[in-house]
C-alpha cells in the first residue's frame, strides 16, 4: 500500500480528513505552499482542526505559516476562519500574537504600524516569497475603496515604498492599470480608475464571513 506521502493532498482529504496520520503530509504541504507561492485554504483548515484533536502534536511554526498565507489572501476572511480553529492559549503567545496584531493593522488600514512591525519581524516574514507583494496588492485595494485621488505620501505609506522605487511603481501602473498622475496642493496625486473589483474588495472588508466559507468549517468543527 502506498504511503500517505505519495498520495495527493486532495485525495487524502477526500478519503479521510479526520485521520491524524495525515498530519505530517499537511505540515509538509504548508511548507510547500510557502516555498512555491501556492495556497490551499481547505488543507490548512484541516491541519488546524487536527491540531485541536491532537494537542500533543501541535506545531506552532506551522500554525504561524498558515496564518501568514491567510494574511496574504486578504481581503478574504481566511485569517478569521483560521483563528476559529486556533485555541486562545496559542493566540496570546508569540509568534501568533504578533501575526494576529499584524492582520488587525491591515484590516483597519493601519499600514504605517503594519510595515513598522514587519521590519522588526524579518526572521518570521522575510523568508516568505511574495509576502510584500501580496500585502501591497491588498493596500491598493483598500486605497481604491477609500480614495479616488491618492496623495503620493499616502500611497507611499500604504505600500511601504519611496523614492525611485515608488516612481517606477507608479509609472508601471500608469502604463498597465490606467492610473493617472496629477499635481496636488501639497505634491503629486495619483488618480485611480473606477474599479468594480475594488467594490468587491470593499464587500470583503466589511461583510461577515461568506456562507461558502462558513460551510468549510462545518465538517471541521463537527
Amino acid at each position: 500500500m502506498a504511503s500517505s506521502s505519495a498520495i495527493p493532498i486532495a485525495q487524502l482529504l477526500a478519503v479521510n480528513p479526520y485521520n491524524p496520520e495525515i498530519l505530517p503530509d499537511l505540515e509538509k504541504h504548508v511548507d510547500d505552499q510557502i516555498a512555491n507561492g501556492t495556497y490551499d485554504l481547505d488543507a490548512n483548515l484541516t491541519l488546524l482542526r487536527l491540531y485541536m484533536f491532537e494537542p500533543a502534536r501541535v506545531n506552532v511554526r506551522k500554525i504561524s505559516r498558515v496564518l501568514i498565507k491567510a494574511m496574504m489572501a486578504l481581503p478574504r476572511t481566511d485569517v478569521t476562519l483560521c483563528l476559529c480553529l486556533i485555541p486562545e492559549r496559542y493566540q496570546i503567545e508569540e509568534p501568533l500574537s504578533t501575526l494576529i496584531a499584524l492582520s488587525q493593522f491591515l484590516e483597519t488600514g493601519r499600514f504605517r504600524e503594519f510595515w513598522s512591525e514587519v521590519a522588526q519581524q524579518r526572521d518570521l516574514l522575510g523568508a516568505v516569497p511574495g509576502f510584500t507583494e501580496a500585502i501591497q496588492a491588498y493596500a491598493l485595494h483598500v486605497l481604491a475603496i477609500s480614495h479616488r485621488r491618492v496623495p503620493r505620501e499616502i500611497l507611499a505609506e500604504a505600500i511601504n515604498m519611496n523614492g525611485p522605487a515608488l516612481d517606477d511603481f507608479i509609472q508601471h501602473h500608469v502604463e498597465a492599470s490606467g492610473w493617472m498622475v496629477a499635481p496636488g496642493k501639497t505634491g503629486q496625486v495619483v488618480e485611480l480608475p473606477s474599479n468594480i473589483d475594488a467594490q468587491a474588495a470593499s464587500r470583503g472588508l466589511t461583510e461577515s464571513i461568506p456562507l461558502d466559507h462558513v460551510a468549510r468549517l462545518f465538517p471541521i468543527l463537527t
Side-chain angles (χ1 to χ4, degrees):
M1 181 176 179
S3 66
S4 61
S5 61
I7 303 174
I9 290 295
Q11 186 175 340
L12 289 176
L13 298 181
V15 171
N16 187 1
Y18 302 98
N19 180 6
E21 297 311 309
I22 69 172
L23 265 171
D25 300 277
L26 294 174
E27 291 174 333
K28 181 180 182 301
H29 189 49
V30 171
D31 293 336
D32 290 343
Q33 292 171 60
I34 294 289
N36 301 327
T38 56
Y39 185 47
D40 189 340
L41 175 61
D42 289 336
N44 294 347
L45 291 176
T46 300
L47 173 63
L48 296 179
R49 186 267 298 169
L50 287 175
Y51 281 154
M52 292 178 68
F53 296 109
E54 298 285 334
R57 301 176 68 178
V58 168
N59 186 321
V60 174
R61 176 175 170 79
K62 304 303 182 186
I63 296 177
S64 69
R65 291 190 146 202
V66 167
L67 282 181
I68 290 169
K69 293 298 291 187
M71 200 185 312
M72 292 169 66
L74 283 166
R76 287 170 47 167
T77 55
D78 297 5
V79 171
T80 300
L81 289 172
C82 292
L83 291 179
C84 289
L85 299 173
I86 301 173
E88 185 177 1
R89 66 180 180 275
Y90 298 117
Q91 295 188 29
I92 62 176
E93 297 179 354
E94 294 290 353
L96 301 190
S97 60
T98 290
L99 291 173
I100 293 169
L102 286 172
S103 71
Q104 291 171 345
F105 287 153
L106 290 176
E107 291 169 0
T108 54
R110 296 154 65 187
F111 295 110
R112 179 186 301 174
E113 294 163 276
F114 172 83
W115 292 115
S116 176
E117 182 61 33
V118 166
Q120 308 301 316
Q121 301 295 331
R122 297 192 183 279
D123 290 343
L124 182 61
L125 301 168
V128 181
F131 178 79
T132 296
E133 293 79 6
I135 302 306
Q136 288 173 335
Y138 169 71
L140 292 180
H141 276 298
V142 173
L143 291 179
I145 294 163
S146 58
H147 293 73
R148 181 67 176 86
R149 291 165 54 88
V150 183
R152 179 186 173 94
E153 61 270 21
I154 298 297
L155 176 63
E157 179 179 296
I159 64 174
N160 194 39
M161 194 178 292
N162 279 293
L166 180 59
D167 292 335
D168 292 344
F169 184 87
I170 292 173
Q171 185 59 36
H172 168 76
H173 282 281
V174 166
E175 298 172 358
S177 306
W179 289 13
M180 298 180 65
V181 178
K185 292 181 179 180
T186 60
Q188 194 179 60
V189 172
V190 177
E191 298 184 358
L192 303 177
S194 299
N195 190 336
I196 294 175
D197 289 340
Q199 298 175 13
S202 176
R203 289 195 296 272
L205 287 170
T206 58
E207 290 183 354
S208 57
I209 300 175
L211 287 177
D212 64 320
H213 286 193
V214 175
R216 292 178 175 182
L217 288 176
F218 287 158
I220 291 173
L221 292 174
T222 56

